[in-house]
Amino acid sequence: MSHRRTHLWISLIVGLAVWGAYFGHFLQQMRRGDTGGLALWFLGALAVIVVVETVATGLIAWLFRRRARELDDGPTLQAALKASHVALMLLIVMALTAAAVLAFASLFGWSLDLSAARGQVVAANALLAMVVIAELLRAALTLALIPRR
């Protein structure tokens, strides 16, 4: 398995586990009506992602340094570009959908109460979810599109 493919698997698995735990905790907190401590959970999840991916990728690179190959600029790069494009388009669609929901709500005079702490937490986590979904899609789609050798 190439270093790029290994890194993508690490990113996908760690991302699913850490962000899954974070958003699970977020949903539990929202059901209870408690938004306290979510900023620390977010910072903790971000730190875990950075440390685990860095250590795991570095360890894999070190262990397989003798078998390392040059990055294939052809099919591998094309797979990464296609996956990144699809992820970017999904992120744009999600952001435009969120903007449309806000515009639609204001059209009818509905308030989503984004001035209150709870509304701000929900909005921040919705934006975070959009980025996480796009990144996980990019990693998964790149893995799917990289040619098998």
Side-chain angles (χ1 to χ4, degrees), residues 4-5 39 46-47 54 62 71 77 82 91 103 111 116 131-132 146:
R4 181 172 188 77
R5 184 174 276 139
L46 196 58
T54 301
W62 182 75
L71 180 63
L77 183 58
K82 286 177 186 175
L91 185 58
S111 172
V131 172
V132 169
I146 290 177

Side-chain angles (χ1 to χ4, degrees), residues 131-142:
V131 172
V132 169
I133 289 167
E135 179 58 20
L136 292 175
L137 174 70
R138 183 203 57 79
L141 196 54
T142 302

